């Protein structure tokens, strides 16, 4: 990040407003380093032509960063929608110059030069978490505002705490090894805010089937799904799985 800090310092801009870092990463470019570098420079030129106020820099092979002011006040949902809109706008410009597959991730918006460094790190982690969850390979843009909890929890991937959290699901995973039905049910249940009717509808199963699966999950994990602490423990463990 020393190169990125120097770039920010040379620009002499006011760093007090909160800014978010967007990180564009070209995937699997192999030996085509010079070609990819040229493409990224074309992306920079296209971005500068359309949005002259943007700060951009190529900070490593296959990686372009974009720093832009972003609001931090107000409800989360409208800001998350704004982030997705901005990601798609930037991606559209980038794809017009890139021939290689890429991902674009937005980090947390923070003030100051130190904030820009932290935003860069969070954008990189957001990209890693997003790609790990993108099993189909179709999604190319990832926002910290959509993945904040798994991104924050990703710091617990190692150590005894992570091992203890993973133990929460160990019996469930062993039982669910073949079909995966219980894990899918648990994920859907949390995704629909523990609403049984919505969960059953999303899974295309009868409500009684859902109740049976939730009882089985409680039995295998030893946790009470009606208890707030137990439910939170289960949710956190699921994020680390």
């Amino acid at each position: 990040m020393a190169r990125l800090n120097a770039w920010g310092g040379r620009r002499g801009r006011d760093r007090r407003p909160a800014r978010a870092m967007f990180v564009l990463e070209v995937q699997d470019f192999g030996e085509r380093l010079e070609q990819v570098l040229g493409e990224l420079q074309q992306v920079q030129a296209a971005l500068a032509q359309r949005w002259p106020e943007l700060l951009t820099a190529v900070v490593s092979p296959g990686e372009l960063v974009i720093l832009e002011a972003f609001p931090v006040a107000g409800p989360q949902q409208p800001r998350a929608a704004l982030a997705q809109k901005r990601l798609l706008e930037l991606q559209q410009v980038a794809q017009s110059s890139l021939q290689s597959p890429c991902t674009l991730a937005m980090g947390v918006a923070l003030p100051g030069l130190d904030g820009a460094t932290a935003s860069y790190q969070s954008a990189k982690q957001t990209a890693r978490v997003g790609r790990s969850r993108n099993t189909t390979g179709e999604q190319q843009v990832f926002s910290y505002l959509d993945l904040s909890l798994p991104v924050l929890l990703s710091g617990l991937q190692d150590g005894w705490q992570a091992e203890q959290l993973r133990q929460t699901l160990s019996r469930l995973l062993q039982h669910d090894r073949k079909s995966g039905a219980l894990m899918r049910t648990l994920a859907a249940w949390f995704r629909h805010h523990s609403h049984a009717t919505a969960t059953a509808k999303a899974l295309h199963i009868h409500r009684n089937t859902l109740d049976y699966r939730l009882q089985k999950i409680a039995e295998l994990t030893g946790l009470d799904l009606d208890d707030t602490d137990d439910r939170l423990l289960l949710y956190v463990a699921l994020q680390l799985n």
Side-chain angles (χ1 to χ4, degrees):
M1 283 300 295
R3 186 177 175 185
L4 182 59
N5 289 342
W7 161 69
R10 286 198 304 269
R11 300 305 291 246
R13 300 293 184 90
D14 183 2
R15 296 291 173 179
R16 286 174 294 180
R19 301 176 188 270
M21 192 74 77
F22 296 80
V23 178
L24 177 70
E25 295 179 89
V26 178
Q27 307 296 310
D28 304 322
F29 56 85
E31 301 297 323
R32 299 178 297 104
L33 180 58
E34 291 187 9
Q35 176 188 337
V36 170
L37 179 59
E39 291 176 3
L40 289 178
Q41 290 170 342
Q42 291 177 29
V43 173
Q44 276 188 285
L47 291 171
Q49 183 177 9
R50 185 163 180 181
W51 298 291
E53 72 281 3
L54 288 183
L55 299 178
T56 65
V58 178
V59 296
S60 67
E63 185 176 310
L64 171 72
V65 297
I66 304 161
L67 188 63
E68 183 177 36
F70 193 84
V72 294
Q76 172 95 345
Q77 189 172 356
R79 290 188 296 115
L82 179 62
Q84 276 295 324
K85 180 176 181 292
R86 192 58 175 145
L87 279 163
L88 292 173
E89 289 173 343
L90 295 170
Q91 181 201 34
Q92 185 177 19
V93 173
Q95 286 183 329
S96 65
S97 300
L98 288 174
Q99 299 181 19
S100 306
C102 66
T103 59
L104 180 64
M106 173 187 162
V108 60
L110 295 168
L113 185 57
D114 289 342
T117 301
S119 184
Y120 170 80
Q121 293 168 343
S122 68
K124 293 281 286 184
Q125 192 62 23
T126 296
R128 282 191 284 268
V129 170
R131 286 193 293 262
S132 71
R133 291 170 163 239
N134 182 28
T135 56
T136 64
E138 295 178 356
Q139 189 174 353
Q140 295 177 311
V141 298
F142 307 101
S143 169
Y144 172 82
L145 289 171
D146 294 328
L147 297 169
S148 55
L149 183 59
V151 169
L152 291 170
L153 291 175
S154 63
L156 292 174
Q157 290 293 341
D158 301 314
W160 68 268
Q161 296 97 332
E163 182 59 30
Q164 287 299 305
L165 286 167
R166 291 192 180 97
Q167 283 296 321
T168 305
L169 293 174
S170 59
R171 289 188 62 204
L172 176 58
L173 287 168
Q174 185 176 6
H175 180 277
D176 210 34
R177 191 167 50 229
K178 293 183 179 179
S179 70
L182 295 181
M183 288 294 289
R184 287 195 301 272
T185 299
L186 183 61
W189 187 64
F190 279 124
R191 192 164 57 248
H192 290 86
H193 311 291
S194 309
H195 293 163
T197 302
T199 304
K201 183 177 179 181
L203 293 170
H204 306 290
I205 60 176
H206 193 274
R207 172 67 184 271
N208 291 342
T209 303
L210 174 64
D211 290 342
Y212 168 78
R213 290 183 183 180
L214 291 176
Q215 290 173 5
K216 193 66 178 178
I217 289 170
E219 176 188 326
L220 289 168
T221 60
L223 297 175
D224 181 357
L225 299 188
D226 291 325
D227 181 84
T228 300
D229 285 352
D230 282 4
R231 190 182 300 193
L232 178 60
L233 181 61
L234 194 57
Y235 182 76
V236 171
L238 187 64
Q239 300 307 306
L240 291 178
N241 181 60

